[in-house]
Amino acid sequence: MILAAQLISISGKAQMEMAPRDSLVVTALQDEMERNMAQLQEEGYNRPFFIAYTMADVDMQYAIATLGAIVSAEEIQERNWFTRLIVGDYAINDENFNNSFGQIMYPSNYEPLPIDTDYWGIRRAFWLATNNVYKSAARKYQQKMKTINEYEMDYPLPDFSRENAVKYYQPAPGSNTDIAELKSRARSLSEYFTDHKNIVHSGVFATQTNVQSYFVNTEGTVVVKPHNYSTIAVTAQCLAGDDVPVRSQIQYIGRFLHDLPDDDQIETDISVLLNDMRNKLEAEPLKEQYIGPVLIEGPAVASFFMKAIYHNRSGGILSDRPVLSNENENEIKKYIENLEEARNPGSSGKIAADFITISAIPRLASFEGKTLYGQFEVDSEGVMPNDTLVLIKNGEVVSHLNGRTPSPRELQSNGYNRLVVGASNLNKQLLPGNLLIRVGETATKENLKNKMIDLLREEQLNYGIHVSSLPVSADKRPNAFFKIDANTGEETPVLISGMHGNQRNNKILREVIAATDEYKVYNFLVNGSSGFSMNGMATDGTMVSLIVPSAILLESYYFSSFDPDNSPFEMVIPLPE
């Protein structure tokens, strides 16, 4: 159930009707923030000009089971939080600076927040942290201004963007899931493996994470909103020849447990997973490196695009700002030169084919009947993104995802500094919500394969590579690799370590030569501690959704020879019967 949110873009204060618990938290945060803003100044140092507090109420439940028995289950309740305090002004402040002669830092001394909603407990914790964050920021700002004055710098870029204040409130929707239900599903699904004696290890991990986040700042912004994630992950491992382990896994993602497929569907998917593992035991490994055309379909298409544009700071969609260092005069000159060069609209160059357009569409809630879990209306800094932000057009990067730290190409925030939150984890990252990748050069999947075969023959290659995925309902699923015979078109399974190759080359999108005109939605969790990973098993973080063609054809891609990267078990006696 999605509850309506109150959203007001304002220049001053406004009142919102909030649940009593949320209202008390916001009041405590605002009262302590305003007290520090009015009184905090150490002799000989500047006062802060901006303070922001972020807090997250986290309620996470999980259950892990193997062979029908619970091995671990826990309910975690905690509060995670941090303080941002800036000394200086919007033009120049203590941020974006590295003091090469040693940072003067004071420990944050984060007092544990009570999980009970205690007004004075919240204030005391933020008071202590704010004190030491201020002392560090004040000294850092003083050293930065000394550097700027000493080298007579014309400081080239503002340090912090001005944004309208926003008040946004969305009450926690509540969750009908309890730990007993998670244990029941984990136990039931894991029992499926008891009849499969060739599986040496298996497990089911079921989670429900409910978070209510709070953000306030001295400009008048207040953002209160929920973050809910539920996952079921299934892992299995068998032994190949010489007792080398073969692992595989699938994962389902939703807001709540009832969003995920029922046990019957998941058991059907597990059967497909186990059959795929048996087939891999008989498949021939890729014995030599491969460079040539590749046909990609399914979730691997989303993985390909996300890694190409998100992980590449040199040619991707994330803003990047050099940090000023006072090491020597040459470093400062280099810093200014790098900023000026990065301001050039063509500095990223063409990174994709002319017919590829990539847009962020954060407010879209669904696409062709499938929920987009990456949908959001306001970011972690209280900035509202536009309905559409074109990132790549005619093969060139025309915009970058940005927060309130100005970059050479983005002086203002466009609302993409998102909260990544979970148990014992709270941070902010530049992240998309929903991405739409359109490829103008289209063909049917059959024609893509025929075009690939034509390329193989032109390049006098004996085979090409087809990357597919298991036909299961899971959001995260293993890739399946096939060799396509250049003469017959016949496909045979092949073992490949994974899609690594030249995937993060910032020109890899130029290799896309065609795609289907059918589009699919894939939802994923970004794990704050490990970063975005299509092959990871994140259980909390934040949601990202991709709308991509169902299949694409690359003119050239690189695969290394198969490396199992697994140490043998060296079993002394066989499995128990």
Side-chain angles (χ1 to χ4, degrees), residues 239-285:
L239 296 181
D242 298 325
D243 288 338
V244 173
V246 175
R247 302 179 181 92
S248 200
Q249 56 193 15
I250 51 179
Q251 185 181 37
Y252 306 83
I253 299 167
R255 295 273 183 219
F256 299 100
L257 194 62
H258 59 71
D259 295 326
L260 308 183
D262 60 25
D263 285 5
D264 288 342
Q265 178 61 61
I266 294 178
E267 287 183 0
T268 299
D269 292 345
I270 293 173
S271 178
V272 174
L273 179 76
L274 295 178
N275 187 60
D276 176 67
M277 293 177 71
R278 285 190 290 268
N279 291 338
K280 284 180 177 178
L281 295 178
E282 301 173 0
E284 180 183 358

Side-chain angles (χ1 to χ4, degrees), residues 294-396:
V294 173
L295 177 62
I296 306 175
E297 65 172 320
V301 177
S303 174
F304 168 81
F305 278 109
M306 194 62 182
K307 290 181 179 178
I309 63 178
Y310 176 71
H311 285 294
N312 275 320
R313 283 194 175 269
S314 61
I317 60 173
L318 303 183
S319 286
D320 193 16
R321 174 183 175 135
V323 173
L324 173 65
S325 173
N326 60 355
E327 184 174 351
N328 54 56
E329 187 173 3
N330 288 334
E331 288 297 317
I332 291 174
K333 288 181 179 179
K334 185 178 179 181
Y335 166 79
I336 296 174
E337 290 171 0
N338 288 341
L339 281 180
E340 292 297 333
E341 182 180 352
R343 281 177 174 172
N344 178 5
S347 61
S348 296
K350 272 194 177 293
I351 71 164
D354 290 342
F355 47 77
I356 292 180
T357 299
I358 300 178
S359 303
I361 47 173
R363 297 178 183 270
L364 192 65
S366 65
F367 180 83
E368 296 185 352
K370 184 159 184 179
T371 301
L372 296 171
Y373 289 122
Q375 184 268 343
F376 73 98
E377 294 182 346
V378 59
D379 78 353
S380 67
E381 296 178 310
V383 180
M384 297 180 293
N386 291 332
D387 290 346
T388 302
L389 176 66
V390 178
L391 298 165
I392 295 176
K393 184 177 181 181
N394 298 329
E396 289 191 9

Side-chain angles (χ1 to χ4, degrees), residues 197-201 237-247 281 564-575:
K197 304 301 183 183
N198 62 319
I199 301 299
V200 298
H201 171 74
Q237 179 176 291
C238 62
L239 296 181
D242 298 325
D243 288 338
V244 173
V246 175
R247 302 179 181 92
L281 295 178
D565 194 29
N566 290 318
S567 301
F569 264 36
E570 297 181 352
M571 306 304 297
V572 177
I573 61 174
L575 282 165

Side-chain angles (χ1 to χ4, degrees), residues 507-518:
K507 300 293 191 283
I508 186 61
L509 291 180
R510 290 184 177 184
E511 301 295 340
V512 179
I513 56 178
T516 60
D517 58 5
E518 177 189 23

